[in-house]
């Protein structure tokens, strides 16, 4: 994992909720990146927005799925849907709500979240207004 951050701005937000959204993106990136891959995290400022980005090495999301990844219940191709369980008696969550929650939290804070493919993976970007 690699990370970088600017410290030149401030966001007025619920730290717990925005932290939940960013953690969800980070956990997804780790889950879908091969063991020999790298997850990159960055925080930068652009005009009146704070940008938080999480890039993975998942191989990319099929282009036809990109507009739908934040839709409630959307799970994408079977390769991106986890199999198995999380322990005895604990079925692995496969409901497709994680990215919809991310979008809801970020939009509730006046921001936006997007995703695009890049060589070898994809990059999620959260943009929040600065105070």
């Amino acid at each position: 994992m690699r990370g970088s951050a600017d410290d030149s701005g401030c966001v007025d937000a619920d730290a717990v909720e925005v932290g939940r959204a960013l953690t969800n993106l980070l956990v997804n990136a780790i889950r879908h990146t091969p063991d020999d891959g790298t997850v990159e995290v960055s925080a930068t400022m652009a005009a009146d927005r704070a940008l938080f980005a999480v890039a993975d090495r998942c191989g990319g999301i099929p282009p036809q799925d990109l507009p739908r990844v934040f839709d409630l219940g959307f799970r994408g191709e079977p390769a991106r849907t986890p199999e198995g369980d999380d322990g005895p008696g604990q079925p692995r969550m496969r409901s497709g709500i994680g990215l919809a929650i991310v979008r809801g939290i970020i939009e509730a804070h006046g921001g936006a979240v997007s995703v695009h493919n890049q060589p070898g993976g994809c990059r999620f970007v959260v943009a929040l207004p600065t105070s």
Side-chain angles (χ1 to χ4, degrees), residues 17-128:
E17 289 302 311
V18 172
R20 177 180 179 195
L22 297 175
T23 297
N24 183 302
L25 294 177
L26 184 57
V27 167
N28 282 348
I30 292 168
R31 179 180 299 135
H32 295 294
T33 296
D35 291 341
D36 62 346
T38 301
V39 173
E40 296 181 26
V41 179
S42 65
T44 58
M45 298 299 295
D48 62 345
R49 296 287 212 201
L51 304 176
F52 303 92
V54 178
D56 64 29
R57 302 296 292 167
C58 70
I61 297 171
Q64 69 273 13
D65 290 349
L66 284 170
R68 300 179 55 213
V69 297
F70 297 104
D71 292 351
L72 185 61
F74 182 74
R75 289 185 274 169
E77 65 183 30
R80 290 189 63 89
T81 303
E83 296 296 330
D85 61 47
D86 286 335
Q90 299 296 317
R92 181 161 296 197
M93 183 178 266
R94 300 195 311 168
S95 60
I97 63 170
L99 292 176
I101 289 171
V102 168
R103 180 178 62 188
I105 291 170
I106 299 307
E107 288 180 353
H109 285 82
V113 61
S114 62
V115 61
H116 66 272
N117 285 325
Q118 61 182 21
C122 59
R123 184 171 188 253
F124 288 82
V125 178
V126 169
L128 290 169

